[in-house]
């Protein structure tokens, strides 16, 4: 209950910023930026916020992952307050749609919760003249398993049980497998209504990677962006799944923790086989992400996550959202703005915003390589 109260406090600040659909934030208050704002002017730094605007100017279209929407809301608002004359237009849709838009050349960068596939890298070479698309890890965090079950304030599940729930094999909340993990809980004889994403989603793919790795006997599906299992109910975007779970008693779904905190949705503790079940928190997700290894080559910084961790306090259902850019051949008209904005999001100030928004900062060792790569973009 203490965690829920803490989450509600976080949600109060975050909820004021959350906006559905495309994010189009204008650089408001430019008349009030007399104390050092030099956005779009010769690489100077905004004195109030330490944002280095460089030669950023005009509009920067971007799209993709809805997982990072709440983080992008915060980043864009702060960045544009510090860099007048710049408009960050991030359309929160899905990882799949973001990659398509990037490879069609209609955005300056894309957000994806899964690294580019080899065929997507090959397609990117048509847009990245002399280069290719690369993955820059920018946002980490737990994939929360949210639930709505009247009278049940605490719930623990493990990977096999989750796999059976989402595969339609466990149909009632008082099933013996759930009861065994929740001794003493008054579980109702009520049907389970499981919600999943309707569109291609990196969040779906990361959940599939967890279930396939941690419950291979119970989850036989390939980890793809498209929801693979029969049954269940579909909703659009993480916001859509969260909205359904919020409204429907007896429901369960998956989405980034920021959606749970902003809407006060209860989340499942995960039994990993360790001494105690692990709560979905930014701190616990950071423990899992810190063990990730870079598997990308060259300037690509795609990560290999361990979904089967049993380390004490490490929350295993995590994702990392990548910003997809060209290593070479970025559009000349948006290159300076892309570098300036991503330098801010990867910087100390940008990363510090993540925890209170329900996300996990990228580990320092990995993040230092992200900053080096951003500086080298051309």
């Amino acid at each position: 209950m203490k965690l829920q109260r803490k989450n509600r406090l976080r949600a109060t600040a975050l909820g004021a910023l959350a906006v559905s659909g495309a994010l189009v934030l204008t650089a408001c208050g430019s008349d009030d930026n007399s104390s050092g704002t030099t956005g779009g002017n010769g690489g100077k730094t905004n004195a109030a916020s330490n944002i280095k605007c460089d030669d950023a100017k005009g509009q920067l279209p971007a799209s993709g992952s809805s997982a990072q929407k709440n983080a992008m809301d915060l980043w864009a608002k702060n960045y544009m307050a510090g860099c007048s004359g710049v408009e960050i237009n991030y359309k929160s849709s899905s990882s799949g749609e973001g990659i398509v838009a990037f490879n069609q050349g209609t955005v300056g960068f894309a957000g994806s919760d899964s690294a580019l596939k080899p065929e997507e890298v090959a397609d990117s070479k048509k847009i990245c003249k002399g280069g290719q698309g690369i993955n820059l890890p920018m946002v980490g965090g737990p994939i929360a398993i949210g639930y709505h079950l009247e009278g049940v304030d605490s719930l623990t599940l493990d990977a096999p049980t989750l796999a059976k729930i989402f595969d339609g094999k466990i149909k009632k909340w008082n099933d013996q497998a759930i009861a065994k993990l929740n001794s003493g809980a008054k579980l109702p004889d009520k049907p389970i209504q499981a919600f999943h994403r309707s569109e291609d989603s990196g969040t779906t793919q990361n959940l599939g990677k967890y279930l396939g790795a941690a419950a291979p006997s119970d989850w036989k599906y390939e980890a793809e962006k498209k929801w693979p299992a029969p049954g269940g109910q579909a909703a659009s975007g993480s916001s859509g799944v969260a909205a359904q779970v919020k409204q429907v008693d007896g429901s369960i779904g998956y989405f980034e923790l920021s959606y749970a905190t902003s809407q006060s949705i209860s989340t499942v503790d995960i039994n990993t086989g360790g001494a105690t079940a692990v709560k979905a928190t930014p701190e616990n997700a950071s423990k899992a992400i810190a063990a990730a290894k870079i598997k990308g080559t060259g300037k690509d910084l795609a990560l290999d996550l361990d979904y089967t961790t049993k380390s004490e306090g490490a929350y295993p259902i995590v994702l990392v959202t990548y910003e997809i850019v060209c290593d070479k051949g970025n559009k000349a008209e948006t290159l300076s703005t892309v570098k300036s904005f991503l330098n801010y999001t990867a910087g100390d100030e940008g990363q510090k915003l993540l925890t209170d928004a329900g996300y996990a900062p990228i580990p320092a060792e990995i993040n230092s390589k992200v900053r080096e790569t951003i500086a080298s973009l051309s």
Side-chain angles (χ1 to χ4, degrees):
M1 296 303 293
K2 289 182 179 179
L3 177 63
Q4 290 178 340
R5 286 195 294 269
K6 183 178 179 182
N7 284 344
R8 290 191 187 101
L9 291 174
R10 289 178 176 174
T12 301
L14 180 61
L17 295 172
V19 190
S20 61
L23 171 65
V24 185
L25 297 174
T26 56
C28 58
S30 57
D31 291 339
D32 298 325
N33 289 336
S34 57
S35 59
T37 299
T38 55
N41 185 10
K44 295 183 180 179
T45 300
N46 176 270
S49 62
N50 297 318
I51 296 175
K52 189 176 182 182
C53 302
D54 293 320
D55 293 318
K57 59 184 178 181
Q59 294 190 5
L60 174 58
S63 70
S65 165
S66 64
Q68 68 171 356
K69 177 192 179 302
N70 293 330
M72 196 60 69
D73 284 358
L74 289 164
W75 282 336
K77 178 179 181 292
N78 288 354
Y79 179 83
M80 291 189 297
C83 297
S84 62
V86 181
E87 183 179 293
I88 307 297
N89 183 345
Y90 183 79
K91 180 183 179 183
S92 172
S93 51
S94 69
S95 298
E97 292 175 72
I99 291 173
V100 168
F102 179 77
N103 281 342
Q104 289 177 342
T106 60
V107 294
F109 70 89
S112 176
D113 308 326
S114 294
L116 292 167
K117 296 180 179 179
E119 59 269 27
E120 292 168 338
V121 174
D123 287 344
S124 74
K125 293 179 180 180
K126 301 171 186 176
I127 298 299
C128 304
K129 301 302 181 183
Q132 65 181 42
I134 58 173
N135 305 281
L136 301 179
M138 196 66 67
V139 181
I143 300 175
I145 306 299
Y147 73 97
H148 180 173
L149 195 57
E150 296 295 338
V152 179
D153 296 327
S154 177
L155 186 68
T156 296
L157 297 173
D158 59 13
T161 307
L162 275 173
K164 292 172 187 173
I165 288 173
F166 282 115
D167 199 20
K169 299 296 194 320
I170 293 178
K171 302 179 183 297
K172 291 286 190 73
W173 278 109
N174 63 346
D175 187 276
Q176 184 177 359
I178 301 176
K180 186 177 180 181
L181 291 164
N182 295 274
S183 178
K186 295 182 179 180
L187 298 169
D189 182 15
K190 184 177 294 184
I192 296 173
Q193 298 192 56
F195 287 91
H196 59 263
R197 293 281 289 273
S198 60
E199 74 287 358
D200 285 2
S201 160
T203 310
T204 294
Q205 188 171 37
N206 279 278
L207 176 64
K209 288 178 180 178
Y210 163 72
L211 293 174
S217 297
D218 299 295
W219 191 258
K220 301 293 188 180
Y221 306 102
E222 292 293 325
E224 299 291 346
K225 292 188 177 81
K226 186 175 181 63
W227 181 255
Q233 301 180 60
S236 178
S238 291
S239 59
V241 175
Q244 290 298 319
V245 172
K246 176 74 172 178
Q247 295 170 10
V248 179
D249 186 23
S251 62
I252 190 169
Y254 60 94
F255 33 80
E256 296 66 43
L257 182 61
S258 62
Y259 290 90
T261 57
S262 65
Q263 298 186 50
S264 299
I265 297 172
S266 298
T267 60
V268 171
D269 298 342
I270 301 299
N271 183 334
T272 64
T276 58
V278 186
K279 296 185 179 298
T281 68
E283 295 80 8
N284 291 344
S286 290
K287 293 176 184 177
I289 295 172
K293 306 296 183 185
I294 295 175
K295 64 180 180 180
T297 58
K299 294 183 179 180
D300 184 81
L301 299 177
L303 301 178
D304 187 14
L305 299 168
D306 180 9
Y307 297 98
T308 62
T309 179
K310 291 180 174 60
S311 297
E312 201 62 31
Y315 184 82
I317 319 176
V318 295
L319 60 73
V320 169
T321 298
Y322 301 96
E323 311 310 340
I324 309 296
V325 295
C326 299
D327 56 357
K328 297 178 182 178
N330 290 279
K331 292 182 179 180
E333 60 269 28
T334 57
L335 175 60
S336 293
T337 307
V338 166
K339 292 177 70 172
S340 173
F341 179 64
L342 295 185
N343 188 59
Y344 162 66
T345 64
D348 291 340
E349 185 176 335
Q351 290 289 299
K352 283 178 182 177
L353 290 173
L354 293 178
T355 300
D356 284 342
Y359 297 97
I362 298 301
E365 182 179 349
I366 297 171
N367 193 43
S368 66
K369 296 179 181 179
V370 172
R371 297 189 204 185
E372 291 174 8
T373 302
I374 292 170
S376 71
L377 299 179
S378 62

